[in-house]
Amino acid sequence: MNWGEITVDALRTSFGVTAAAYALAAIGLNLQFGFTGLMNFGHIASLAAGAYGVAIPLEEGAPLWLALLCGLAASIVVSLFLGLPALRLRLDYLAIATIAGGEILRLILRSRWAEPVTQGVYGIQQFSDSFFDLNPYPTGPTDRIGIGDFSYDGRSLWVMTVCWSLVIIGTLVVWMLIKSPWGRAIKAVREDEYAARSLGKNVFFLRMQSFTIGGVFGALAGMLLAFDRNVNPDFYLVVFTFLIYAVMLLGGAGTILGPIVGAILYWFMFEWLDGFVLSSIQDGWYGEALEESDAGPIRFVLLGLGLVLLIVFRPQGIFGKKEEVLLSDS
Amino acid sequence: MTRSSVAVPDSSPAPDLSSVASAPGASKPDPILCVKQFRKSFGAFTAADVDYLEIQRHAITALIGPNGAGKTTLFNLITGFETADQGSCLFNEHEISNLRNWQIARKGIVRTFQHTRALTKLTVLENMLLAAPRQYGEKLLRSCGWKWRGQDASNTGKAMDLLDRFSLAHMADEYAGTLSGGQRKLLEMARALMAEPELIMLDEPLAGVNPVLGEAILEHIKDVCAGGTTVLFVEHDMPAVQAISDWVVCMAEGIVIAEGTHAEVGQNPLVLEAYLGGSVPRGTVSVSDSESESQTSAEEPEPAASQATSGNQKQQES
């Protein structure tokens, strides 16, 4: 077994496009769940809105800037559609309503009657040329940028550059918001909405603001994933939202750096386990008991185990403060 | 004690309530709050049905009554935490019963809760700063940038003064969740004052507080009133009510059955009946003089019987 190779592969993935997009999506979810206490189980709807919002105009030949604006607008519309009714409910109902909302959006996108616009179950491909026209890196078939195996092709590196830049900007924006009186107010809403109301805070409006901003971060992540691959409705499944939750909880919900560290660590663990399980099977550690095709499920089992251990031994995540978890409400 | 830090509307003349008749619905010289025909039912059960009630400005008014009398419901109705089925509520002669709870709070009525609602994962100081009114940086777009910092700094000064007054200054940077029950009561009161209310409504400020701290809280309430804030509070502890209240309103089964000074209410047979007929044990209700207590207990040997009577009473009055 080549431990070095497994580790470098894992490192490469943990800074790759997917990890960056997860970090960006987790920043949004962290604002909603970590700081405002909104149980949004339909975060994937924002990603889908961003992806389709940018893909459809580009497919129709719109310029890139207009498509980007459309993607952001689509996510705001989705947030309002979900939030206006659901944020008036008690928060446990919000969780149910957002799961349903995310699924409804996905089913609409893949439905037959939406096919003229969304191309239904086939999805939209080959729309991102105008985004990659801006790519400053060389994209020849042999061009790789980086040190040894820790390197990326020019195309991925361009998406990564944009995505990590957005992650850094997003983190700074969230940090600024959270340190401000507005941030104090949304944390108060998370802690006790009745106390916040008794002090004159418009709880519904604050929740709506946080929900919408979080959705915009989700939409940006959705757009970048769409540029990197393509757009297909069955990518936007409910389970995706929970992976973003895992990333956020790993880093620490309600912390500024949690989403970044969580995304890097999550993808490092995921890829490292993948490499480890596969090569240990190839090396015959388990004799005839396991075959190579078992590697996929086993890494998920191990990852799940890791997350359970995290919740047991470090419920506040990597960056969270233990005392915050221990504080009682009464 | 620095009072200057808290906005004082104007130095309050001691309210003169001596000329006010001690009867339910009595009109006061200068009411800050006026409740008319306020009614709230949960199904067939009428939780509150207040015909007419005025609250005197710059006075300390106590709201008493046995458990289930509708005191907290009336609090919730006034502050918009529950919606009345009918009726109106005038605050400084403006209708507020159609407003949402947070709008009412911004108008100047700030309440506390029977079970304290400290924001446990915010620090004590953040709890205080949150309450400051008209914060520039609380608007989303203005929160980006630095323009709110000046106001926040001056609010911090004010918050520290208040915390100092409530003996919480040393806890300013601790999470509010680390405070004891009594300290949370203090914090909640300080936080309500930070919002610069005209009328502060305290729901059982002494519940679960030890006697020494209770004394301190009573002093704070008197200070608050002397500083120009009108106080309306719910309390079960009769000696405390006697010690600080200018006016006492007694509710039972949703209606106001008596109003007056503590002495007047304490001798009102309806009040004694409501208490003794209810589930409250006699010993906990120490009415102003023991003589009247023994009188009523002679009149009402059977608590169960008096419950039925007070039920009739309600029908007569409504």
Side-chain angles (χ1 to χ4, degrees):
Chain A
M1 181 174 314
N2 189 339
W3 295 100
E5 195 179 318
I6 293 172
T7 309
V8 170
D9 277 353
L11 265 181
R12 190 171 59 233
T13 308
S14 66
F15 288 96
V17 175
T18 315
Y22 270 64
L24 199 52
I27 289 173
L29 191 62
N30 192 31
L31 188 66
Q32 296 173 340
F33 176 81
F35 290 113
T36 322
L38 301 174
M39 297 256 253
N40 177 13
F41 286 160
H43 197 44
I44 193 62
S46 300
L47 278 84
Y52 274 90
V54 84
I56 292 168
L58 284 178
E59 177 93 63
E60 301 295 329
L64 183 63
W65 62 267
L66 185 62
L68 292 172
L69 282 183
C70 285
L72 294 179
S75 90
I76 292 172
V77 168
V78 165
S79 292
L80 291 177
F81 251 95
L82 270 175
L84 284 176
L87 291 178
R88 292 184 188 279
L89 303 174
R90 257 187 26 218
L91 286 183
D92 24 8
Y93 294 109
L94 174 71
I96 299 166
T98 47
I99 289 188
E103 272 296 274
I104 289 168
L105 182 63
R106 184 178 72 86
L107 293 173
I108 290 174
L109 290 172
R110 81 195 297 278
S111 67
R112 185 166 268 247
W113 52 263
E115 221 173 86
V117 184
T118 65
Q119 305 192 13
V121 291
Y122 308 108
I124 308 172
Q125 284 96 24
Q126 307 286 327
F127 58 87
S128 50
D129 289 349
S130 55
F131 175 74
F132 286 104
D133 286 345
L134 302 173
N135 184 359
Y137 303 111
T139 52
T142 56
D143 284 326
R144 288 192 73 81
I145 300 150
I147 311 154
D149 278 344
F150 186 67
S151 61
Y152 302 89
D153 62 77
R155 193 186 136 92
S156 298
L157 197 63
W158 169 229
V159 186
M160 279 169 60
T161 309
V162 175
C163 206
W164 283 118
S165 307
L166 285 174
V167 167
I168 291 165
I169 294 168
T171 303
L172 288 174
V173 167
V174 167
W175 175 72
M176 201 159 65
L177 288 176
I178 291 308
K179 293 291 164 208
S180 78
W182 184 84
R184 198 157 58 211
I186 63 161
K187 282 198 278 184
V189 169
R190 173 192 73 189
E191 291 304 304
D192 191 326
E193 61 175 290
Y194 293 102
R197 288 202 171 104
S198 77
L199 297 170
K201 309 302 169 206
N202 186 348
V203 169
F204 173 73
F205 194 61
L206 287 165
R207 280 188 178 145
M208 200 65 235
Q209 287 178 324
S210 166
F211 191 68
T212 310
I213 298 170
V216 165
F217 281 113
L220 289 170
M223 287 178 202
L224 287 155
L225 283 174
F227 286 139
D228 189 50
R229 305 158 187 195
N230 50 43
V231 168
N232 188 294
D234 293 324
F235 179 67
Y236 305 101
L237 291 168
V238 175
V239 67
F240 199 138
T241 302
F242 292 100
L243 294 183
I244 303 169
Y245 263 92
V247 163
M248 176 189 68
L249 294 173
L250 188 62
T255 62
I256 302 287
L257 292 176
I260 300 182
V261 176
I264 293 174
L265 202 64
Y266 176 88
W267 281 104
F268 182 83
M269 277 166 56
F270 185 84
E271 203 60 27
W272 195 89
L273 285 171
D274 191 41
F276 170 76
V277 172
L278 194 62
S279 29
S280 62
I281 290 173
Q282 284 164 347
D283 289 357
W285 285 23
Y286 319 104
E288 298 296 305
L290 294 175
E291 295 171 22
E292 279 184 32
S293 58
D294 295 327
I298 288 175
R299 67 181 178 183
F300 273 113
V301 170
L302 291 176
L303 189 70
L305 198 63
L307 290 173
V308 169
L309 289 175
L310 174 90
I311 286 167
V312 171
F313 290 106
R314 209 173 159 78
Q316 71 275 31
I318 306 286
F319 273 95
K321 295 182 190 146
K322 186 118 195 175
E323 54 269 37
E324 283 198 4
V325 177
L326 297 177
L327 293 174
S328 71
D329 280 329
S330 54
Chain B
M1 292 234 174
T2 48
R3 180 92 15 72
S4 59
S5 57
V6 184
V8 180
D10 37 47
S11 59
S12 51
D16 181 22
L17 292 167
S18 57
S19 59
V20 177
S22 64
S27 67
K28 316 282 187 309
D30 181 13
I32 190 171
L33 193 75
C34 176
V35 172
K36 290 177 192 163
Q37 310 276 324
F38 236 11
R39 194 185 163 84
K40 175 75 182 178
S41 308
F42 300 104
F45 172 67
T46 304
D49 183 4
V50 176
D51 252 1
Y52 191 86
L53 178 66
E54 288 185 353
I55 304 296
Q56 171 66 24
R57 192 187 306 276
H58 297 320
I60 300 179
T61 305
L63 186 55
I64 63 167
N67 291 326
K71 307 179 296 292
T72 298
T73 305
L74 182 60
F75 256 48
N76 288 343
L77 291 176
I78 292 172
T79 51
F81 278 78
E82 270 167 44
T83 322
D85 301 337
Q86 60 168 70
S88 84
C89 180
L90 301 178
F91 177 61
N92 285 331
E93 286 157 18
H94 293 288
E95 181 64 51
I96 57 165
S97 62
N98 52 352
L99 299 180
R100 313 298 301 262
N101 41 25
W102 57 272
Q103 290 171 317
I104 292 172
R106 288 187 186 185
K107 289 258 175 200
I109 303 182
V110 177
R111 70 168 298 178
T112 65
F113 295 88
Q114 189 174 346
H115 304 287
T116 50
R117 293 183 179 273
L119 303 160
T120 48
K121 286 170 207 169
L122 267 58
T123 66
V124 170
L125 182 60
E126 281 177 319
N127 264 270
M128 295 294 288
L129 289 176
L130 175 77
R134 297 175 295 278
Q135 292 189 56
Y136 183 86
E138 220 167 66
K139 293 267 185 297
L140 180 61
L141 292 177
R142 293 174 179 173
S143 68
C144 301
W146 311 98
K147 276 194 175 174
W148 51 267
R149 299 223 155 207
Q151 192 196 25
D152 227 39
S154 72
N155 282 343
T156 306
K158 210 168 84 179
M160 288 309 294
D161 282 351
L162 267 171
L163 287 176
D164 203 34
R165 206 170 118 193
F166 282 80
S167 338
L168 288 169
H170 62 291
M171 301 292 281
D173 295 323
E174 304 290 330
Y175 285 113
T178 62
L179 297 183
S180 69
Q183 284 174 321
R184 287 183 195 204
K185 283 271 179 204
L186 287 173
L187 173 61
E188 207 177 31
M189 220 165 115
R191 193 174 68 188
L193 286 178
M194 187 74 192
E196 299 176 6
E198 262 187 82
L199 170 64
I200 187 168
M201 295 178 47
L202 308 168
D203 199 347
E204 299 199 22
L206 301 184
V209 167
N210 74 57
V212 179
L213 190 58
E215 286 295 316
I217 289 178
L218 290 183
E219 284 307 310
H220 286 311
I221 295 175
K222 279 201 268 186
D223 284 350
V224 166
C225 183
T229 307
T230 308
V231 180
L232 174 62
F233 75 111
V234 169
E235 192 46 68
H236 282 298
D237 183 344
M238 290 305 144
V241 169
Q242 181 176 22
I244 62 166
S245 53
D246 300 311
W247 195 256
V248 177
V249 175
C250 181
M251 286 181 78
E253 305 192 13
I255 58 175
V256 175
I257 57 166
E259 269 190 67
T261 60
H262 183 268
E264 287 163 347
V265 170
Q267 282 163 352
N268 188 319
L270 287 175
V271 174
L272 298 167
E273 196 177 274
Y275 267 101
L276 299 172
S279 58
V280 181
R282 255 183 54 212
T284 61
V285 189
S286 66
V287 189
S288 57
D289 51 348
S290 54
E291 199 187 340
S292 68
E293 194 179 2
S294 58
Q295 267 176 5
T296 29
S297 57
E299 282 167 16
E300 293 287 342
E302 288 258 356
S306 75
Q307 196 157 29
T309 332
S310 68
N312 291 339
Q313 216 95 46
K314 195 198 152 205
Q315 281 169 359
Q316 283 162 17
E317 296 205 17
S318 62

